[in-house]
Amino acid sequence: MTDFHTHWLRLVDSGYALLDFMAAGGMVMWALAALCVVYWTLVFERLWFMRRVFPRWVEERRAAWHRLELSHSRQRAVRSAWLAQAQQQLTMPLRLSKTLVAMYPLLGLLGTVTGMIAVFDVLALNGTGNPRGMAAGVWQATLPTMAGMVLAITGLFSLARLERNARQALDRLADQLRHD
């Protein structure tokens, strides 16, 4: 029982540490966190689509392809249309994800500006006599910038992986729809 209690206390402490971290970065950190949740929801949706939904769609097209009895030029037109549909299904939803990744560093920069405004407020009120207040403003300026960069880097890596998976799935479909 004490083992569970110890883990629970560690979890609660971690939660408070996360809340302190978010509060130290100001409102921009909360905006970054919200965008992060939206982004990773989109990433997991794409992974689910590529692993569960798209293979069924491909199987339907492959079965229909073998039943087609059209001229060579008509088969080529059907193949092109199906490949265009597949490309649209695989790559179009990634546009929003790319936009979110581009917004991370911009929000980080906004956090830098708001933090520096806090530093200037302390300077205006107290001069240089309040180093603790200035340090809090500098921390508020630095933290969102770092968070925005970390989120952008992880976003770029995950987007590259999703785009590579989409290209590979499209290439596999193109190979399966060849006319022998």
Side-chain angles (χ1 to χ4, degrees), residues 124-176:
L125 293 175
N126 301 328
T128 58
N130 187 358
R132 192 172 287 247
M134 289 189 311
V138 170
W139 180 244
Q140 185 179 352
T142 307
L143 198 56
T145 305
M146 178 202 57
M149 289 297 131
V150 168
L151 291 173
I153 290 169
T154 59
L156 286 174
F157 282 127
S158 62
L159 267 177
R161 175 72 183 252
L162 287 174
E163 288 174 341
R164 186 184 62 181
N165 288 351
R167 273 193 316 274
Q168 289 173 346
L170 197 58
D171 290 343
R172 280 192 304 273
L173 177 62
D175 287 344
Q176 291 174 358

Side-chain angles (χ1 to χ4, degrees), residues 22-99:
M22 296 297 286
M27 288 302 298
V28 175
M29 287 295 288
W30 292 103
L32 281 168
L35 282 182
C36 182
V37 168
V38 170
Y39 174 78
W40 285 104
T41 302
L42 292 172
V43 166
F44 288 127
E45 183 276 332
R46 284 288 87 197
L47 288 172
W48 177 78
F49 178 81
M50 286 183 200
R51 298 224 194 303
R52 300 282 184 210
V53 177
F54 190 69
R56 283 183 284 192
W57 186 87
V58 167
E59 189 56 39
E60 291 171 6
R61 295 309 175 273
R62 198 169 59 110
W65 179 255
H66 292 298
R67 290 190 310 261
L68 278 179
E69 300 207 7
L70 300 172
S71 66
H72 186 66
S73 62
R74 293 235 186 227
Q75 276 187 340
R76 186 177 293 155
V78 169
R79 180 180 186 268
S80 296
W82 285 350
L83 288 176
Q85 279 180 334
Q87 183 175 13
Q88 185 175 12
Q89 288 179 7
L90 291 169
T91 60
M92 288 298 283
L94 294 178
R95 288 185 179 181
L96 179 59
S97 299
K98 288 179 184 179
T99 303

